[in-house]
């Protein structure tokens, strides 16, 4: 988790921007875009790398482009919960479930990779479904745990800082 956050250069401000639902949902839209970019090697040859690079650049820019938001939406609460996990401020009793969700997403990613390597639709589709469902469930779990964090802490001690800082 920390490695992915480091690659994206996630700062406090970046997390606030990434919590914007537009950021969350457009990152989901990048999954089929990336798959199509890789699959297009069949038609475009090495030029498919331009499309792959475009998707990778989008994923890096995505967490910076949208305006910061308070944790009021489902997606925003999930991202603020993810920040708690990355920062090591996450209840230990929930780690097993999150580890299973992460493992499920990784299994989906492996199927996606296999489908893209051999150009087979069924592992690509199954892997995409597994990855998306694991991500959605993980965001939901993070959101619930973020709400638990808010109930247990003073309002000033949120991942967002003071609520007014997020607007």
């Amino acid at each position: 988790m920390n490695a992915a956050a480091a690659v994206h250069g996630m700062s406090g401000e970046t997390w606030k921007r990434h919590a914007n639902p537009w950021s969350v949902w457009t990152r989901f839209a990048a999954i089929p875009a990336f798959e199509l970019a890789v699959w297009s090697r069949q038609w475009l040859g090495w030029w498919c790398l331009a499309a792959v690079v475009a998707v990778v650049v989008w994923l890096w820019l995505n967490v910076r482009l949208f305006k910061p938001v308070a944790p009021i939406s489902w997606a925003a609460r999930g991202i603020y919960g993810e920040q708690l996990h990355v920062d090591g401020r996450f209840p230990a009793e929930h780690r097993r479930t999150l580890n299973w969700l992460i493992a499920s997403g990784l299994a989906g990613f492996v199927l996606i990779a296999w489908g893209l390597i051999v150009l087979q639709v069924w592992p690509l589709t199954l892997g995409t479904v597994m990855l998306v469902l694991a991500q959605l469930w993980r965001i939901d779990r993070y959101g619930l745990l973020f709400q638990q964090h808010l109930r247990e802490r003073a309002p000033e001690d949120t991942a967002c800082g003071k609520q007014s800082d997020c607007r």
Side-chain angles (χ1 to χ4, degrees):
M1 240 4 208
N2 289 334
V7 166
H8 285 283
M10 299 298 282
S11 66
E13 180 67 18
T14 310
W15 279 107
K16 292 175 190 176
R17 291 177 176 278
H18 178 36
N20 190 309
W22 281 98
S23 174
V24 173
W25 296 118
T26 56
R27 285 179 72 83
F28 273 101
I31 295 169
F34 178 80
E35 293 169 350
L36 181 61
V38 174
W39 194 286
S40 73
R41 76 182 188 274
Q42 193 173 16
W43 316 295
L44 302 177
W46 286 104
W47 284 104
C48 75
L49 293 177
V52 170
V53 167
V55 174
V56 170
V57 167
W58 165 251
L59 290 171
W60 187 85
L61 283 172
N62 174 282
V63 296
R64 292 164 175 75
L65 290 179
F66 299 98
K67 106 180 177 179
V69 297
I72 55 174
S73 71
W74 175 86
R77 287 189 304 271
I79 298 305
Y80 282 115
E82 181 180 13
Q83 182 184 9
L84 291 173
H85 186 199
V86 169
D87 291 347
R89 297 185 293 151
F90 206 74
E93 65 268 17
H94 297 286
R95 287 202 179 114
R96 176 177 284 159
T97 303
L98 286 169
N99 287 340
W100 276 106
L101 291 172
I102 291 167
S104 299
L106 286 173
F109 183 79
V110 168
L111 283 169
I112 290 169
W114 177 35
L116 289 172
I117 289 167
V118 299
L119 295 175
Q120 290 287 318
V121 172
W122 80 262
L124 179 67
T125 303
L126 179 59
T128 302
V129 168
M130 287 175 64
L131 177 67
V132 169
L133 289 176
Q135 285 291 93
L136 289 169
W137 193 355
R138 194 169 57 90
I139 290 170
D140 188 63
R141 177 69 110 173
Y142 279 144
L144 294 171
L145 295 171
F146 180 74
Q147 289 175 305
Q148 176 185 337
H149 173 78
L150 289 178
R151 285 191 303 271
E152 293 171 357
R153 306 283 189 278
E156 299 80 43
D157 184 31
T158 67
C160 188
K162 293 181 182 168
Q163 293 291 329
S164 60
D165 291 344
C166 299
R167 296 185 178 138

